[in-house]
Amino acid sequence: MSETATTILAQFQTADGDKTGPPLSLPSSVTAEQLSVLINKFLENDETRPYAFYIDGHEVVRSIQRDIIEGAQRSAEESLTIVYQPQAFFKVRAVSRCSATLTGHTEAVLAVSFSPDGKHLASGSGDTTVRIWDLATETPRVTCRGHRNWVLSLAWSPDARRLASGGMDNDVRLWDPLTGKEEGAPLSGHRKWITALAWEPLHLNPTASRLASSSKDGTVRVWDTVRRRCLFTLAGHTAAVTCVKWGGDGRIYTSSQDRSIRIWNSDGTLHAVLPGHAHWVNTLALSTDFALRTGAYDHTGSVPSDNADAQKRATNRYNDTKGKGSERLVSGSDDFTMHLWDPQNSTKPIARMVGHQKVVNHVSFSPDGRLIASASFDNSVKLWDGVTGKFLASLRGHVAAVYQVCWSSDSRMLLSASKDSTLKIWDLRTRKLKLELPGHADEVFAVDWSPAGDCVASGGKDRILKLWKH
């Protein structure tokens, strides 16, 4: 189809609203590649950086004529604002084959997690053990024994030196990933099982010594993992606490079955309550989660020389992800909705995100903070704009409840794990299914994509841990 090119007036603008360069007179047939050349010239980039371009929320994939004037029915007469967003320099390749099937757990695998430096993989199971696997040889390295009941959650310290696990036995335990030995006595105090764990971000505390644990008993405890004592307890929720996140500004966010979200200062005082959900709040995600989780480590795998260097790197990575705005929070609930919050500036949500037909089980921000993915028991994964909360697409393909979603580190692909025993990889550009990864014999409960993007781990009811590679 030949495009009839007209001339349009356009202005480049950053996602934060700053204008770049003068207004331009462009042919409407201009492609995304040509826009990329222009913006790299304007910004005087030393090396050509990839960008994505949006006009009124619609991405320019082929050309402005096709996608915006014909596709989005915009008039060529009016001035168009082209919002440009930098993309990751590196590209993650989609994993396409199961490279290892690791047996060893004797009950369902309930949690899997790669370390921030990508060197270790940990799995927690209903058989009460935590196992740490050697990724180079794809074999078990150590088995960490100590819990007296199911292991429900895992969290690596952002310096990758320690692994915390929370169990059905009400205890939090710390492990040395190299030896598999437990570090000291368990952190005891909760009266019911542990629901989530969160470490203090590395850029705030380079020794990575403080850990928060949330519990079914309605409290969150903050531990000093060096002195092995509880520093303070966050009590205020009137029902089970389902999730805890430690934000990059030092505040702690908790969600609960009492339908509220609470924000706490790092000294244990209550900062604010975010009301609004009509049922249990199940899950929280921060727009900076990926940068906080990986700390000083990026896709290159270079190791910081000391704590000060690590803190500097972590601070830069956090600020790059956060941008000029503030950290955003998204919550998913049993009321089938999600709320997007700007917790530093308001106790009212930016947006109420509706569309799921059943419980929202898991939410996750893309590593660049621009998109949100939600997994629901209605068999679908939905995509939302990470800044406005606007609905973008439904990703359909699973034939049973979706338990978890996970992003590739370049924010270009999304992985979902389901009760239907499959993993699916979705391409964010086309918003279509890219690959299906069958292989598990039963429900897939847990999935994680390594920070460097080279490996995916999944585990579930069939007691097997699978590693997937390109």
Side-chain angles (χ1 to χ4, degrees):
M1 186 180 83
S2 66
E3 294 184 12
T4 51
T6 53
T7 305
I8 53 167
L9 193 65
Q11 170 71 58
F12 281 119
Q13 185 178 304
T14 65
D16 294 326
D18 301 333
K19 290 187 166 57
T20 305
L24 301 171
S25 187
L26 299 171
S28 63
S29 58
V30 67
T31 62
E33 286 76 22
Q34 291 164 329
L35 289 173
S36 194
V37 172
L38 272 174
I39 196 67
N40 273 292
K41 280 255 168 50
F42 278 137
L43 297 172
E44 298 174 357
N45 290 338
D46 295 335
E47 49 184 321
T48 305
R49 175 146 202 184
Y51 289 90
F53 301 94
Y54 298 89
I55 297 174
D56 288 349
H58 298 282
E59 186 173 3
V60 180
V61 180
R62 294 167 299 178
S63 68
I64 289 181
Q65 176 73 30
R66 282 189 178 186
D67 296 325
I68 308 302
I69 296 172
E70 292 168 15
Q73 304 291 309
R74 279 294 301 267
S75 162
E77 304 295 318
E78 49 192 323
S79 173
L80 300 175
T81 301
I82 305 175
V83 176
Y84 65 93
Q85 294 187 336
Q87 303 289 292
F89 273 118
F90 62 99
K91 261 206 158 91
V92 170
R93 296 159 80 180
V95 296
S96 54
R97 65 187 173 88
C98 178
S99 68
T101 299
L102 305 174
T103 55
H105 283 300
T106 55
E107 288 295 334
V109 179
L110 304 176
V112 294
S113 181
F114 284 95
S115 61
D117 58 4
K119 290 183 180 156
H120 309 289
L121 169 68
S123 58
S125 163
D127 64 11
T128 76
T129 66
V130 174
R131 284 175 177 257
I132 295 172
W133 308 84
D134 187 320
L135 288 171
T137 58
E138 300 184 337
T139 53
R141 180 182 290 144
V142 283
T143 302
C144 311
R145 301 178 197 280
H147 281 290
R148 301 182 307 281
N149 207 329
W150 302 353
V151 180
L152 300 174
S153 53
L154 297 172
W156 287 91
S157 63
D159 62 3
R161 286 179 193 150
R162 284 181 298 173
L163 174 70
S165 61
M168 200 83 172
D169 57 4
N170 312 351
D171 287 343
V172 176
R173 291 171 190 263
L174 295 169
W175 313 91
D176 179 331
L178 299 174
T179 63
K181 297 270 190 303
E182 189 174 350
E183 293 190 355
L187 305 174
S188 301
H190 283 297
R191 297 189 310 283
K192 287 190 176 168
W193 64 84
I194 311 297
T195 54
L197 298 165
W199 289 86
E200 186 172 19
L202 194 70
H203 66 269
L204 300 176
N205 179 357
T207 58
S209 60
R210 295 205 296 171
L211 172 72
S213 60
S214 62
S215 167
K216 169 79 175 164
D217 67 12
T219 67
V220 171
R221 284 175 176 258
V222 174
W223 309 89
D224 179 332
T225 59
V226 178
R227 295 190 183 85
R228 318 205 60 76
R229 62 191 177 91
C230 177
L231 295 172
F232 47 84
T233 302
L234 309 177
H237 283 296
T238 55
V241 182
T242 53
C243 190
V244 60
K245 294 278 176 192
W246 203 317
D249 60 355
R251 297 206 180 109
I252 298 171
Y253 303 91
T254 57
S255 63
S256 167
Q257 291 181 355
D258 68 7
R259 309 198 300 268
S260 77
I261 298 156
R262 285 174 182 254
I263 307 173
W264 312 81
N265 298 314
S266 54
D267 60 359
T269 54
L270 181 65
H271 174 72
V273 179
L274 306 180
H277 280 295
H279 208 311
W280 296 354
V281 187
N282 297 322
T283 173
L284 295 175
L286 287 167
S287 57
T288 51
D289 265 345
F290 185 79
L292 296 179
R293 169 194 166 176
T294 48
Y297 296 97
D298 60 11
H299 64 280
T300 60
S302 66
V303 180
S305 53
D306 54 23
N307 279 359
D309 181 35
Q311 185 172 18
K312 184 171 159 236
R313 289 190 193 198
T315 306
N316 291 341
R317 294 191 67 228
Y318 170 71
N319 289 333
D320 284 351
T321 305
K322 185 168 77 76
K324 281 187 181 170
S326 49
E327 215 167 30
R328 297 178 306 285
L329 178 77
V330 64
S331 55
S333 165
D334 266 22
D335 66 8
F336 310 171
T337 72
M338 298 148 64
H339 286 181
L340 180 64
W341 312 86
D342 179 1
Q344 284 175 355
N345 301 316
S346 173
T347 54
K348 300 232 171 2
I350 300 170
R352 190 164 169 266
M353 298 141 78
V354 296
H356 280 298
Q357 314 284 302
K358 287 187 181 172
V359 170
V360 180
N361 187 51
H362 188 230
V363 290
S364 181
F365 268 97
S366 60
D368 60 15
R370 295 195 191 114
L371 295 170
I372 297 166
S374 56
S376 167
F377 283 11
D378 67 6
N379 308 357
S380 78
V381 175
K382 291 190 189 293
L383 285 179
W384 316 79
D385 186 296
V387 179
T388 62
K390 181 174 157 246
F391 171 73
L392 298 176
S394 271
L395 307 178
R396 299 200 172 275
H398 284 296
V399 293
V402 186
Y403 288 142
Q404 218 180 347
V405 286
C406 175
W407 291 86
S408 66
S409 48
D410 64 355
S411 305
R412 290 187 176 101
M413 285 176 289
L414 181 70
L415 181 68
S416 54
S418 165
K419 183 177 179 172
D420 68 10
S421 84
T422 69
L423 299 169
K424 294 191 194 301
I425 295 181
W426 310 89
D427 186 321
L428 269 295
R429 178 139 248 187
T430 59
R431 296 177 185 162
K432 298 272 194 310
L433 180 67
K434 192 176 177 85
L435 279 170
E436 182 163 345
L437 304 176
H440 279 288
D442 211 327
E443 308 181 16
V444 187
F445 292 142
V447 66
D448 197 16
W449 204 319
S450 69
D454 55 345
C455 183
V456 163
S458 60
K461 206 169 174 178
D462 63 3
R463 310 172 193 176
I464 282 168
L465 190 69
K466 282 187 176 286
L467 295 182
W468 310 82
K469 294 206 171 148
H470 177 71

